[in-house]
Amino acid sequence: MSIAIPANIQISAGEDADLEDDEQTQDWSEIAKLSRTNEAIAVIPKRGEKDFEPDETNMQELLLYRAQKAMFDTLTNFIRGSIIKSQVKAYYIPETHLAYIPQPRGNFMNTMGRATSSGDFFLQFHEFVYLAERGTVTPFIKTEELDIPLSIQDLYVLFKDQNELDTFAIYAHLKRLGFIVTSADDTSYDTTSFYAPSSVCSKRSHLQLLYNALTGSLAQQKISLHNRWFFSPWNFYFQKYTSSPQLYRGLNTLIPSTNIPKTVIDLRGTFRDTVQNENTDLKINFNVWKPQTNYKKKSPGLPDYQVVIYNKNDPSSHFPTYSEIKGIFNSLDYKFEFLQEGMDWDASTYTNGIKRSEYLTSLKSKAKQKKSSDNPMNKNVKTRRPASSFSPQVQQLRRLRNGFRTFLLAIMDDGIISFVKISEADFGSENVWHSPMLHKVRKSPFNRNKKNGKNVEGPQKFSASTIEKK
Amino acid sequence: MSKGKSNYTSQLRYKFPLPIHPIDDLPLLILHNPVSWICYLYKYMKSHNRLQKRIHVEINGDSFPHILVEDQGQMIYLWDNGFFGTGQLSRSEPTWRSRTSIRLGINDDTLQNEQSAKSQVALEKLTERRRQQRLEFKRERDKSEKQLLELRRKGGSIEEEEALLEKEREALREYKANQLLKSVDEEEPNELRMEDENLIDENGRIIKLESLQLMPVEAIFLSYALPVIDIPIPELMERLCGGTVEYETIHKLITRYVAYHHYRSHGWCVRSGIKFGCDYILYKRGPPFQHAEFCIMVMDAEVPRDYTWYSTVARVTGGARKTFVLCYVQRLVSQDKILEAWDRKDFTTIFSSYKVAEVIYKRWVPGKNRD
């Protein structure tokens, strides 16, 4: 459960502190209670004091015993194994590299596999191995006379190459943590896109692009004239600057920085259907949704994350260069979290080429999905404070820290998986200079005393720096 | 005093973010009073942004040029107006002289007009004090842990233990709060050592020993972008890179400067990031006000590194609670064009032929991002 950071605490202490918790041991006692009482509302237990070494007291022994017992209880109270009656058989089909389930049933069907129009249920190979490893399905291969059961070893032999094995490992890792994961190239669902189908507004966006390019080059020209002047040795002999921001604006004209799409229109203008770079095999591999109960497999809407896989030890690949990263940014199609809060995603995304809101009303059952945390029944929900209620400085700092378009890079190193969040940042359009003019300190001694007196009450008044957006 | 709680003195002292000051003492312009127009115009015509006297720099050494500012007043000026350079005998701010004068109890009148002498406590002092306090706190915590052990040995119940823990926690919290309240004590002059005599000249003043060293990019900024130091930019560049150059020899300096200038021009205080394993760190305003928030690594756009390198830097910067930013510098024209401009000494063309793009790199833990 992520914790909303209180506004008055510096954000710098925020997210990495979360990361550190990661390495601490789990407290099992509450989970044991859950498995007994089966209560739906879990409470995150408070950690006790940590004992660093044995102190040879009975008290410590007792505490240790209790903690151990809680863990063992949790593990032993759970019934293991499967019942023959509810066994689900899955048959591997060598020709298509898929698995067929004649009598599909179980929760996994909500998020995995797909049914053809004739009603046959198929699993992709990585889904098949994942479910077989968990014991949810029993793997078989069909021959003419009989069904031969497959072992897990057998399944691993069936992987075609290292790439597929990596893909499976990362898929399984995310699935085990509760995420909903689908292959990005799987188009058998009703796919939802942030971008309008090309027929609708391609003309406009092309015009927009042309316009952007033109104004961009004009602006560039203007800048180069101005900076030639600012950086000439004569600048300060003829030009006078009456405030620090003026000086900064002069300095600003030298280095061009990359334009970053931040609005709906910009995003739609820069979108490319596929990662445009011939000499790379990096692509978006997975669409990932946060755990949720109302996920609709048939039309899942936009994913929360998109994952790119990179094997560190593959001699033919390398960490993405800037142009590769940019290519990936331009082909992202997910729930851009930096867009305005309270954005109506159904009204601004497209499913099967029509507006998603129209698509949803055309469905018989309302396939609107909700996150488990949106559920009003869930009392433990912590509502996040809207970003716009923070001071401009905090908002600016957040923009700089979180960046804009984001993807996850999953790095595979001999079975060890790490994730990195790669986000586009824009320091080029945020100015953080402090302007003394706004906090001007007068020079006369009378005023100084007065200000000094004032300052005792509110020193914070002076520490605010000015924010300006280009 | 800790970072973030800036006081009035430092507000005054660090009033200007750049060593070139804006003209900010113009008289009030009153529209219906023509006399004020004349006053204003006169003042406006008379004032200018230039420094009275450019700051003198020495450049020593051939293969590794040291760019030094040696005058005490100029050292302090560069620190106060944009936090440039590092004192060679100090952590960053050139405080050796004032620290020594306090330590030896010498009232150095050359330091009188600088606020740094007494009203301001040196950053080194603060760190030392913080470490001391941390140590004291740990001792206090050890004491309370001993009490707990005592209780356990005596066979206290869990309820008793919890009560004790609660009490101790409260006491520790109070202890910490009191620690923060305590102001920094005035330091008593220490006893003179034999070698201290060498620090004092015949007039009883402290000799000049420390100088301020500038990073090459800082020197370029202070010569090229703002006319502050007394060496013209073509001469400085020749001193740094030699007379005839290959593209490879100037590439690194140019890209590093492009990144430096980019952040400086948007108002950041940019300082070396070597302590955090990266190229630059960015402060909002400056080191006395806030901790640095970003670590910048200057990258060539098309040259990837091994993943281990990224993960190493990200761990170090993440451990210091800073955001790790990859700053990609792309060259927009051919190498020959750059060399041509270099021969013409046309640095504006060179620097504006590069474009920056930034990417934030952050470790992502799936278990922490589920809802």
Side-chain angles (χ1 to χ4, degrees), chain B residues 100-117:
Chain B
T100 313
S101 87
I102 294 170
R103 183 169 66 84
L104 302 179
I106 295 171
N107 224 348
D108 198 327
D109 46 306
T110 55
L111 288 167
Q112 278 301 313
N113 45 2
E114 290 153 18
Q115 293 145 327
S116 68

Side-chain angles (χ1 to χ4, degrees), chain B residues 237-255:
Chain B
M237 285 304 215
E238 198 176 321
R239 194 72 180 70
L240 292 173
C241 300
T244 48
V245 293
E246 299 278 310
Y247 181 74
E248 281 68 35
T249 54
I250 56 172
H251 172 75
K252 199 166 175 216
L253 186 66
I254 294 177
T255 51

Side-chain angles (χ1 to χ4, degrees), chain B residues 62-326:
Chain B
D62 280 325
S63 41
F64 298 101
H66 294 237
I67 307 162
L68 302 175
V69 176
E70 286 172 345
D71 180 80
Q72 178 72 20
Q74 292 182 334
M75 271 160 53
I76 303 283
Y77 182 82
L78 278 186
W79 175 262
D80 287 356
N81 297 278
F83 310 99
F84 291 92
T86 301
Q88 288 181 317
L89 302 176
S90 314
R91 197 176 58 190
S92 48
E93 181 184 354
T95 54
W96 177 80
R97 201 159 175 188
S98 58
R99 276 183 289 135
T100 313
S101 87
I102 294 170
R103 183 169 66 84
L104 302 179
I106 295 171
N107 224 348
D108 198 327
D109 46 306
T110 55
L111 288 167
Q112 278 301 313
N113 45 2
E114 290 153 18
Q115 293 145 327
S116 68
K118 281 213 166 153
S119 59
Q120 208 81 14
V121 187
L123 289 173
E124 284 87 347
K125 203 78 213 152
L126 279 177
T127 311
E128 195 184 304
R129 203 183 144 64
R130 202 164 49 226
R131 290 193 181 136
Q132 183 67 30
Q133 285 188 336
R134 217 171 278 159
L135 209 69
E136 283 166 12
F137 178 78
K138 280 185 183 161
R139 269 193 218 119
E140 206 62 21
R141 197 177 57 191
D142 279 349
K143 263 193 232 160
S144 78
E145 268 165 21
K146 280 213 181 83
Q147 280 185 353
L148 185 68
L149 184 63
E150 204 84 335
L151 181 75
R152 281 186 180 178
R153 289 234 167 93
K154 277 193 283 180
S157 69
I158 289 187
E159 288 72 39
E160 275 180 280
E161 187 169 309
E162 299 223 313
L164 179 72
L165 268 175
E166 197 45 53
K167 207 181 91 201
E168 286 300 325
R169 262 190 222 128
E170 192 51 48
L172 281 178
R173 225 170 278 145
E174 216 163 274
Y175 184 81
K176 188 129 212 182
N178 280 339
Q179 254 187 349
L180 289 177
L181 280 181
K182 261 187 233 164
S183 61
V184 185
D185 312 320
E186 282 283 311
E187 201 186 0
E188 288 294 309
N190 295 358
E191 259 179 62
L192 230 63
R193 297 172 299 182
M194 282 285 274
E195 55 270 33
D196 285 339
E197 281 174 29
N198 297 333
L199 298 176
I200 303 167
D201 66 7
E202 55 267 31
N203 301 326
R205 288 204 190 131
I206 294 166
I207 58 165
K208 208 178 73 182
L209 203 62
E210 180 173 39
S211 36
L212 184 83
Q213 182 161 2
L214 296 173
M215 294 193 284
V217 288
E218 287 177 322
I220 297 172
F221 185 79
L222 294 175
S223 169
Y224 164 73
L226 295 174
V228 175
I229 58 175
D230 66 351
I231 176 166
I233 182 68
E235 206 178 303
L236 176 68
M237 285 304 215
E238 198 176 321
R239 194 72 180 70
L240 292 173
C241 300
T244 48
V245 293
E246 299 278 310
Y247 181 74
E248 281 68 35
T249 54
I250 56 172
H251 172 75
K252 199 166 175 216
L253 186 66
I254 294 177
T255 51
R256 285 189 55 122
Y257 180 71
V258 165
Y260 181 86
H261 188 106
H262 172 64
Y263 294 111
R264 265 283 171 196
S265 72
H266 284 99
W268 296 99
C269 166
V270 189
R271 294 190 54 85
S272 168
I274 192 71
K275 297 285 173 75
F276 297 98
C278 60
D279 288 329
Y280 299 122
I281 49 177
L282 303 186
Y283 291 89
K284 226 172 179 179
R285 285 205 76 183
F289 298 96
Q290 266 168 331
H291 287 285
E293 280 147 16
F294 297 96
C295 282
I296 308 292
M297 197 60 107
V298 182
M299 311 276 295
D300 289 336
E302 297 313 314
V303 188
R305 302 195 185 220
D306 185 61
Y307 169 70
T308 314
W309 180 87
Y310 296 90
S311 106
T312 309
V313 185
R315 264 293 167 162
V316 173
T317 53
R321 296 197 174 158
K322 303 195 192 310
T323 306
F324 179 34
V325 179
L326 301 170

